[in-house]
Each structure stands twice: as structure tokens, then as C-alpha cells.
Amino acid sequence: MRTQVGIIGAGPAGLLLSHLLHLRGISSVVLERRSREYVEQRVRAGVLEQGTVDTLVEAGVGRRLLREGLPHSGIELRYGGAGHRIPFEKLVPGRAITVYGQQEVVKDLIAARLADGGDVRFEVDDVAVHSLEEAPYITFGGERLDCDVIAGCDGFHGVSRPSVPEGVLTAYEREYPFAWLGVLARVAPSAEELIYAQTERGFALHSMRSPEVSRFYLQVPAGEELEAWPDERIWAELKTRLETVPGFTLATGEIFEKGITPLRSFVTEPMQYGRLFLAGDAAHIVPPTGAKGLNLAVADVRVLTEALDRFYADGSTALLDGYSAACLKRVWRAQHFSWWMTTLLHTFDSDDAYARRLQASHLDYVTSSEAAATTLAENYVGLPYE
């Protein structure tokens, strides 16, 4: 079996790449070890940058996003007993975010690929990549897929990155001394926009997925067990951390999903080797505070699509050769923003009185300086594509 581009991973990166290549007349096969049901139900990110929304709409897979997504023109930073709104409409006119779950993006992309006759294979096993420098191919389940290029879109724990010979890639990483406990609840959001709350007890985030479903996060110690957090404790802690401004009451409801996610920062350089190109979480991880994971994957895929389009149009490898450098500029900007948001809003056990007072001063600066607030806003909604 042969195709032009072999894609490992049917998450947002792999599926969007396959769809964008199809629009350019480039064939691909997508291989995914999980079931279709699993990837369509897997809850991940929910905040889409302006550029991500534009990309999906322009690619013809944004109809449901425009109909059901929740556009937001600001966020609130809540600390010290007061809420401070960061107004995107004033600071970055014409740019906003849209709340729309990653699993919904995946559903839309799968539907589009199947409607177009795309080759997306679920529940494949024993995936391995070979001959990356000359004539790459992928083996899986006793089959062989020959291709010109392999796109590794299979996440942090996938097979793509480990297939690169030892010593070629350099990893930059940091693990944070806390995790996020995330829950989905059947209750209408208690606020119209996202609330990022900084408290002495730790960080909390009020978000949403629809007018009927809310999403919440709590900072918890690294290594915390989910069993330690029954629903009653979760609601009590959310109320303690969010009900810190006059007149705000947190509505509660049935929690139907919860999980704990460790926070880490990770970048591998370069993001390519031979005819293998890494995209999304296979190449980089950011703490979710900056809402950049899914959006970085989309940015990677845009760059790779243009490079492959040039390659198949005239045989030029210039853009493919420059793929990593082109992506990493944006990746490191997002790394810095995500690290900055994380340190700005979380409580560290190692903090002394000086560090806590410094953090409060930093929050005051961000919410009182238009220049600082603009920097936050322009990074949060996403830097324009070059």
C-alpha cells in the first residue's frame, strides 16, 4: 500500500493535516491506535484562538463551530477579593477566543475526512516507522504503508518521536509541582466569560463547554489521587476559591466527568528528522494555563501543509527543510506565555512572603497597565500568522 503522506495519530493535528492536504490534492492515510469512539469522546482543550477558528472555517469544517461555539471577548483575573476583566475587544480589536471542545473539533474533522473518502484507520496496532532518511514507510498490524513523508501527530507518548535515532533531538522540559483536577458538570456557567482565580489555597478556573455544561479546574498537589476528591469536596473547594468577590455565587450540579492532569512544559528540537515531521504534542507540551496546546498543533499543521504543497508542486524541499525553525519560533513564544500565566496564577509551596507579595504586585501591574494587559490579550487570543 502506498500514499504520499503517512500520518500517525487521529487527534486534531493529524486529522486537520489530512484534511488540508486533501484540499491541495495530496493523498494521506491516517493511523490511530485508539477507537473512533475514544478519540471523539476524549476531553481535552476547549479554547480556540482566533487563528484556529479562522483556519477551521476557511477549511470548510467550521459550520458547527460557528453555530455552537461560544465566542468570548475577554477573560477575568480574580484575586485579592476583586475581579479584573481583560477586554479583548478594546485591547486587540477584531480578535477573540471561542470555547469549543477539542472532541468536537475531532468529530467535525473525522466526519469531513470520511465524507471525502479519506483513509482514516482506527484501532491499528504495532505501529512503527522505518527508513526515515530515504524511503520512509510505516508498518502496522502486519501491513506496510510506503510514503514520501511521515507526519508524527501521535502525542507525547506516541511512537514517532522515539523512532528518531538517539542524540539527534534535544529535549527541553520542566515539570511543575502541582496538577490540575478538571471536572465537567451539568450546570449552566455562573459567568459569561472564563475566570482565572488566584488564591492562597491555589488556582481555580471557571470555564464552560455549552450553555448547559460547565468546566472547572482546581490546582492540586502533584501526584494527587482522584479518590481523594469526592464531588462534595470539589464543590466546596471551587466555592472557596471562586466566591471571593461580592455578589458572585457558584452554581453547582451533577459532575459527570473528572480527571487529574500533571502540568509540564516540553519542547523537542528539531521537530524533524529525515522525512519525519513532528507536530502537536509529539513535539511540544505546554501547561494548559495559557490555552495553547491545540492551537499550537493547528499552527504546526498549517506550516507543514504549505511545505508539502510546495514540495509536491515543484519538488522544492526549502519549506520542508525549514519546517522546524518556522514552527519553533511560535512554540517558544507560547511556551513563555504559558509558563508566565502559570507562575502568575498558581501557588507554589516554596513561595515565601516575598514571593507571594511579588506575585500580587505582578497581578496588579497586569490589570492596571494597558500595555501589560494588551500583551496578555494578544498572546491569549493568538498571535497572527505570518
Side-chain angles (χ1 to χ4, degrees):
M1 178 171 50
R2 178 168 182 82
T3 191
Q4 289 173 299
V5 182
I7 301 173
I8 305 176
L15 291 167
L16 180 59
L17 177 61
S18 180
H19 179 69
L20 293 178
L21 292 176
H22 166 74
L23 297 179
R24 308 289 182 100
I26 301 169
S27 67
S28 67
V29 174
V30 181
L31 304 174
E32 169 59 49
R33 69 186 181 93
R34 300 284 194 171
S35 68
R36 177 181 177 181
E37 179 183 18
Y38 179 89
V39 299
E40 288 188 336
Q41 299 301 321
R42 179 171 48 190
V43 177
R44 290 291 188 273
V47 174
L48 306 186
E49 295 177 353
Q50 184 68 58
T52 296
V53 172
D54 294 343
T55 297
L56 294 172
V57 171
E58 291 165 5
V61 289
R63 289 184 294 277
R64 196 162 68 94
L65 162 61
L66 293 178
R67 185 174 68 249
E68 300 178 12
L70 305 175
H72 288 198
S73 58
I75 60 172
E76 178 186 325
L77 301 185
R78 183 171 292 188
Y79 68 96
H84 306 265
R85 185 171 184 266
I86 306 297
F88 300 157
E89 74 279 4
K90 173 186 176 184
L91 302 171
V92 284
R95 302 181 66 77
I97 59 166
T98 298
V99 174
Y100 189 68
Q102 176 174 310
Q103 71 273 23
E104 305 305 323
V105 174
V106 167
K107 291 175 187 175
D108 296 340
L109 288 169
I110 289 176
R113 292 307 299 123
L114 296 183
D116 291 333
D119 194 342
V120 182
R121 305 190 181 198
F122 297 97
E123 298 183 80
V124 301
D125 54 15
D126 298 324
V127 177
V129 300
H130 310 269
S131 189
L132 293 176
E133 294 187 79
E134 298 178 359
Y137 65 95
I138 306 170
T139 55
F140 63 97
E143 299 189 55
R144 170 170 169 153
L145 174 65
D146 291 285
C147 44
D148 302 318
V149 167
I150 297 174
C153 306
D154 49 346
F156 183 78
H157 298 289
V159 301
S160 298
R161 190 179 66 255
S163 69
V164 176
E166 187 175 352
V168 172
L169 305 179
T170 300
Y172 301 89
E173 55 190 319
R174 170 168 296 178
E175 293 192 1
Y176 295 85
F178 40 72
W180 273 18
L181 166 62
V183 304
L184 283 169
R186 291 190 176 89
V187 59
S190 299
E192 295 183 355
E193 297 177 336
L194 279 68
I195 302 172
Y196 284 75
Q198 186 274 334
T199 76
E200 291 186 358
R201 296 180 64 88
F203 168 78
L205 173 60
H206 173 291
S207 184
M208 61 284 293
R209 286 294 179 270
S210 74
E212 298 82 27
V213 174
S214 295
R215 181 72 159 156
F216 301 98
Y217 295 97
L218 284 169
Q219 175 187 347
V220 297
E224 187 81 328
E225 297 291 336
L226 196 57
E227 291 72 21
W229 288 89
D231 293 359
E232 296 78 8
R233 184 185 179 192
I234 291 172
W235 286 122
E237 194 62 31
L238 283 168
K239 282 179 167 289
T240 298
R241 299 187 194 184
L242 289 169
E243 291 182 346
T244 56
V245 300
F248 179 83
T249 301
L250 181 67
T252 63
E254 175 198 359
I255 294 176
F256 63 92
E257 184 166 320
K258 54 185 171 181
I260 293 179
T261 303
L263 268 64
R264 66 160 59 94
S265 298
F266 173 85
V267 181
T268 188
E269 292 188 7
M271 291 170 54
Q272 62 192 94
Y273 171 73
R275 292 296 183 93
L276 171 68
F277 298 85
L278 304 175
D281 287 359
H284 42 72
I285 298 286
V286 290
T289 327
K292 290 287 165 271
L294 168 60
N295 297 294
L296 277 181
V298 171
D300 292 345
V301 164
R302 285 174 57 105
V303 174
L304 187 53
T305 298
E306 294 301 324
L308 288 168
D309 189 46
R310 172 70 66 82
F311 173 70
Y312 285 110
D314 59 19
S316 170
T317 63
L319 294 183
L320 284 175
D321 294 342
Y323 167 75
S324 183
C327 290
L328 284 169
K329 181 178 179 181
R330 191 182 195 95
V331 167
W332 278 110
R333 176 63 253 165
Q335 286 285 338
H336 179 265
F337 178 68
S338 300
W339 165 85
W340 177 74
M341 285 282 285
T342 301
T343 56
L344 180 69
L345 294 163
H346 287 73
T347 300
F348 290 75
D349 290 340
S350 59
D351 285 350
D352 56 15
Y354 173 84
R356 290 190 294 271
R357 187 64 188 88
L358 193 65
Q359 183 184 46
S361 176
H362 196 172
L363 281 162
D364 286 339
Y365 173 65
V366 170
T367 55
S368 63
S369 163
E370 183 169 326
T374 299
T375 296
L376 189 157
E378 66 182 7
N379 280 275
Y380 198 90
V381 304
L383 300 177
Y385 294 118
E386 296 180 354

